[in-house]
Amino acid sequence: MTTDDDRTAFITAMGDLLASWNLSRTTGRIYGHLLLHSAPTSLDTLGSALGLSKGTVSTSVRELTAWGLARTIPQPGSRRLLVEATGGFEQLLAASHERSRALIRILREGGDLAEDERARDRLTDVTELFESYVSAGDEMLRRARGGTGGRRI
């Protein structure tokens, strides 16, 4: 049987993990809370549940949305938003790929700016690493969608 203590421990663990990704611990706690609840949640409800101010919740939700970990749902006729954790591997991987593709574009531009061959080689190595990551992720997505006959994720 799941207890409130178990849920609190999970939410705390998510806060600690996302802090290691350079997101705030609060952002991670909000993400943990969202993952445990199926229905979209208001910012006020999140604040009450986690003992946070509305401003802190709003800032954290913007971070989660930017990372592709949550989405906001506007309420017709109101400025209020509901928020929910995004579902599934595909959305998370797609968001990660967008960030990686932006990094790849910048790294490629840096190749002409490097002061010598050693620096250019390092830029090339880093660029190729991220290109490989995106390529492998694209292959995983194709398999998940049934495009290559591979195992579904």
Side-chain angles (χ1 to χ4, degrees):
M1 180 161 81
T2 303
T3 67
D4 285 342
D5 287 343
D6 294 333
R7 287 184 185 90
T8 299
F10 174 80
I11 289 168
T12 299
M14 287 303 299
D16 293 344
L17 176 66
L18 266 61
S20 74
W21 294 2
N22 291 324
L23 291 170
S24 74
R25 194 165 260 100
T26 300
T27 298
R29 290 181 59 230
I30 289 172
Y31 184 54
H33 181 86
L34 292 172
L35 286 170
L36 295 178
H37 294 85
S38 59
T41 306
S42 72
L43 301 184
D44 291 332
T45 301
L46 282 168
S48 294
L50 298 171
L52 303 168
S53 72
K54 190 170 183 177
T56 299
V57 171
S58 180
T59 299
S60 292
V61 166
R62 278 195 302 275
E63 281 187 305
L64 290 171
T65 302
W67 277 75
L69 298 173
R71 72 181 188 102
T72 56
I73 305 164
Q75 298 304 289
S78 173
R79 290 180 16 165
R80 292 185 181 253
L81 297 172
L82 297 180
V83 61
E84 67 181 352
T86 54
F89 172 76
E90 290 183 39
Q91 288 173 311
L92 295 175
L93 191 57
S96 176
H97 279 188
E98 281 309 306
R99 289 183 174 279
S100 294
R101 285 184 179 103
L103 177 60
I104 290 166
R105 284 189 296 275
I106 292 169
L107 289 168
R108 285 183 181 150
E109 292 171 6
D112 293 335
L113 305 173
E115 72 179 1
D116 59 22
E117 192 65 29
R118 182 173 181 220
R120 262 188 299 286
D121 288 347
R122 184 177 51 231
L123 275 165
T124 298
D125 287 347
V126 173
T127 303
E128 289 174 354
L129 170 71
F130 279 92
E131 288 171 337
S132 296
Y133 164 74
V134 170
S135 178
D138 286 343
E139 179 60 26
M140 290 171 63
L141 286 173
R142 277 191 290 282
R143 287 182 188 171
R145 294 176 183 141
T148 62
R151 181 176 132 268
R152 292 205 37 100
I153 297 172

